[in-house]
Amino acid sequence: MGPGSFIQIVGRGVSLNVLGNEVSGDFGFEQSADGRVLGQIGNARLAFNNGSRDLLILDNGSGALVATSVGLAFEFGGDLTLDIPEVSLTGSFIVAVNTSILPVNETIDLTGTPQILNLPGGPYVRVSGTGVALVISGQSLNGDFVFERNNDGTILISASNVNLTLGSGIVKVNNGLGGLIVFDDGIAGSIDGDIALNVAGLSTSASFGVRVNTTIRTIDESIVINGTPVAMTLPAGRFLRVEARNVEIEIAGQTLSGNFFFEQ
């Protein structure tokens, strides 16, 4: 073949198992001069299965990939669905995968439209959304969320920069940080943050947290969020509330001590 010629391999409806997760779509591959395999993905679909069914699905995705002797890395955006009761998502979400411990920084152009692949070292398969909304029982948690699936099928959500407003602004939680677990029948978790109480004569310096359990059973789990172990103990649901325990609140110059809960 003459200069500028190439060989491209195209597969449609291809299904891959990546770190225990099913990824499917249309794949096109070319080999670069240094031996790397570069590719682009269309009609991509990722499913997180908990062992009984797909709970999280991102489909209609498109993106880019690179494969070397040390691993596979790719990224694509798409439409995200979380198939559990009383929970929905709005915003833009991206699947990011890197099976190698090495970071990836590539520009891939097989169709005339360059795509940049810039990923930290792995291994991981994660779905992330920045500035998106996680709506639980009608209440909107706005922030940054990362979804990952453990080897045992448990689906975890890391939450940061989370904001929640209750009662038309009477109670606001800002800068929330925490985690949630996705179950077949609901979602549960804890997110701690700063509280603002828009009530005349009422103030507090206490730390409050958002507590969620949309299942009908108690939750007693130990999970790892961003490398940090988190003990999660919650009473049976169903609820989404802002709470603090053993704290003080000032009301019209008087101090009240105890446990405080805010729900809408």
Side-chain angles (χ1 to χ4, degrees):
M1 303 179 106
S5 299
F6 62 90
I7 297 176
Q8 186 178 76
I9 300 173
V10 177
R12 302 191 184 280
V14 176
S15 182
L16 305 175
N17 185 293
V18 183
L19 300 178
N21 300 284
E22 180 186 344
V23 180
S24 60
D26 302 334
F27 295 82
F29 303 95
E30 288 184 20
Q31 183 170 332
S32 65
D34 60 5
R36 293 168 302 144
V37 174
L38 308 179
Q40 291 186 306
I41 312 169
N43 298 315
R45 182 184 189 273
L46 167 74
F48 280 172
N49 190 291
N50 69 344
S52 60
R53 66 186 183 91
D54 294 342
L55 294 183
L56 181 147
I57 301 167
L58 190 144
D59 56 11
N60 301 318
S62 61
L65 67 84
V66 60
T68 68
S69 59
V70 298
L72 172 69
F74 59 84
E75 185 176 72
F76 61 81
D79 303 322
L80 186 64
T81 301
L82 197 56
D83 187 18
I84 55 175
E86 300 183 71
V87 180
S88 62
L89 294 155
T90 59
S92 299
F93 295 86
I94 292 175
V95 173
V97 175
N98 190 355
T99 66
S100 163
I101 62 173
L102 301 177
V104 174
N105 190 356
E106 298 278 356
T107 299
I108 299 169
D109 184 5
L110 303 185
T111 63
T113 303
Q115 299 188 60
I116 296 174
L117 198 59
N118 189 358
L119 299 172
Y124 55 80
V125 176
R126 61 176 61 128
V127 178
S128 61
T130 301
V132 300
L134 175 62
V135 181
I136 303 174
S137 300
Q139 305 301 317
S140 182
L141 298 170
N142 300 290
D144 306 333
F145 299 93
V146 178
F147 302 78
E148 296 192 68
R149 175 185 174 275
N150 285 348
N151 291 334
D152 63 1
T154 303
I155 299 172
L156 305 179
I157 306 174
S158 302
S160 58
N161 302 314
V162 175
N163 302 312
L164 171 68
T165 299
L166 298 179
S168 300
I170 293 176
V171 178
K172 293 183 178 180
V173 176
N174 300 305
N175 305 313
L177 181 68
L180 304 106
I181 309 175
V182 178
F183 300 98
D184 263 330
D185 56 342
I187 192 169
S190 301
I191 299 172
D192 294 325
D194 305 322
I195 192 168
L197 302 175
N198 189 22
V199 178
L202 190 153
S203 65
T204 182
S205 59
S207 295
F208 278 70
V210 179
R211 304 294 180 254
V212 179
N213 187 2
T214 67
T215 77
I216 58 173
R217 62 184 182 280
T218 58
I219 304 297
D220 188 5
E221 300 274 353
S222 179
I223 62 175
V224 177
I225 298 292
N226 294 328
T228 302
V230 176
M232 194 174 294
T233 303
L234 297 164
R238 301 170 173 157
F239 61 82
L240 185 154
R241 63 192 180 212
V242 176
E243 69 172 55
R245 296 178 180 273
N246 301 315
V247 300
E248 294 183 348
I249 289 182
E250 299 288 334
I251 302 179
Q254 304 299 313
T255 300
L256 295 179
S257 300
N259 303 327
F260 297 87
F261 304 86
F262 300 94
E263 292 188 47
Q264 179 172 306

